[in-house]
Amino acid sequence: MTNFEDADYFRLRITPLEQDEKKLQKLEEKLKTYFSNGRYVAVVCCRETSAKDKLHYHLGFHCSDTKDKVRDNFRKHFQNDIAPRTGYSFSEDRCLSPEKYRRYCAKGNGPNEQPIIIIWQALINEPSIKELHETFWKNNEHYRQTAVWDKLRLLAASPTCSLDDLVTSCLQLHCDNNMPVDTYRITAKLRTIWASRSADYFKKIIQDILFKLE
């Protein structure tokens, strides 16, 4: 039985060769059997559909075998189940923590859609799948909002930007990122952004007048 202390963390993204539901269920049963081996610890596997409507699976697990051995054994066992060349992505993960990847696997296809979990071996003191799902989207919402307002600040800094341009871009970015349109919050944020830009304009006007007076 693999111990966490002796194991590296691995993650996989696989695209099944065929997307027929009956064959997918057979593949999922095969995955469950394969990862029930004692060499694999804290296994997670979820089913997702990409933005291009391509069904795929994410897997994460600890194993004390070498990267080459883990990869070669998996490929050999599932060579008739996975799309050739483009259907397989494998990495030994030394950067992204297992906890973050498990949240990623628990994200589902959206904040209101629970994940389709195929395998889930819980970590010690781990939050529930529901909690991990909610945490992922809460963090995701924060990062998206930060990115949106950073873009709007850059836009407002342009001398050619009008208030109409700023408001239109703001609403479009909220729509593109599936962010709720809270009129009061948006108004308050835009006033802050626009006021800072207006202050710069006032300074420039004052400097121009002072220059003429001199």
Side-chain angles (χ1 to χ4, degrees):
M1 180 70 178
T2 294
N3 294 318
F4 282 107
E5 294 78 11
D6 305 320
D8 285 328
Y9 189 67
F10 299 89
R11 57 189 178 120
L12 281 165
R13 184 187 189 280
I14 60 172
T15 303
L17 183 62
E18 299 185 63
Q19 310 241 334
D20 174 77
E21 185 59 36
K22 288 185 178 179
K23 292 182 178 179
L24 290 173
Q25 290 178 8
K26 287 183 179 180
L27 171 60
E28 290 167 9
E29 289 302 317
K30 191 172 179 180
L31 286 167
K32 291 177 186 177
T33 300
Y34 183 82
F35 282 101
S36 64
N37 188 307
R39 294 200 307 271
Y40 306 103
V41 177
V43 183
V44 57
C45 175
C46 68
R47 183 204 283 201
E48 286 189 1
T49 304
S50 69
K52 295 183 179 179
D53 209 31
K54 193 73 172 177
L55 190 145
H56 59 277
Y57 296 89
H58 291 286
L59 297 102
F61 52 91
H62 292 266
C63 185
S64 57
D65 292 340
T66 65
K67 178 178 178 179
D68 289 344
K69 186 174 181 180
V70 172
R71 181 192 61 230
D72 293 345
N73 283 345
F74 187 88
R75 281 181 170 169
K76 181 179 179 181
H77 204 80
F78 292 94
Q79 61 183 337
N80 298 321
D81 303 293
I82 298 172
R85 295 185 298 278
T86 60
Y88 183 89
S89 173
F90 175 88
S91 65
E92 183 178 22
D93 202 332
R94 297 186 181 276
C95 299
L96 184 65
S97 71
E99 292 78 12
K100 289 182 180 178
Y101 193 64
R102 289 171 81 83
R103 281 200 299 273
Y104 179 80
C105 288
K107 70 182 183 295
N109 285 330
N112 299 315
E113 188 173 340
Q114 289 294 311
I116 301 173
I117 300 297
I118 309 305
I119 308 171
W120 193 280
Q121 293 179 8
L123 295 165
I124 297 173
N125 299 323
E126 182 176 51
S128 67
I129 294 171
K130 183 176 183 293
E131 289 173 304
L132 291 169
H133 173 265
E134 290 173 351
T135 300
F136 175 88
W137 286 105
K138 182 179 180 181
N139 292 341
N140 184 268
E141 179 72 13
H142 170 73
Y143 295 140
R144 284 187 300 151
Q145 288 187 12
T146 299
V148 163
W149 292 110
D150 285 346
K151 288 179 182 177
L152 291 170
R153 288 187 187 92
L154 285 173
L155 178 64
S158 169
T160 60
C161 177
S162 70
L163 184 56
D164 285 347
D165 292 336
L166 188 64
V167 173
T168 301
S169 297
C170 178
L171 295 175
Q172 185 63 55
L173 283 167
H174 274 70
C175 179
D176 292 344
N177 288 274
N178 296 316
M179 290 165 57
V181 177
D182 183 332
T183 304
Y184 294 102
R185 183 175 182 277
I186 289 174
T187 300
K189 295 280 283 187
L190 287 178
R191 285 183 66 187
T192 301
I193 292 173
W194 196 249
S196 64
R197 182 217 147 139
S198 296
D200 291 337
Y201 266 87
F202 286 131
K203 289 178 183 177
K204 185 178 186 304
I205 291 170
I206 292 170
Q207 288 171 350
D208 288 344
I209 293 173
L210 288 173
F211 178 80
K212 289 177 182 178
L213 290 174
E214 291 176 353

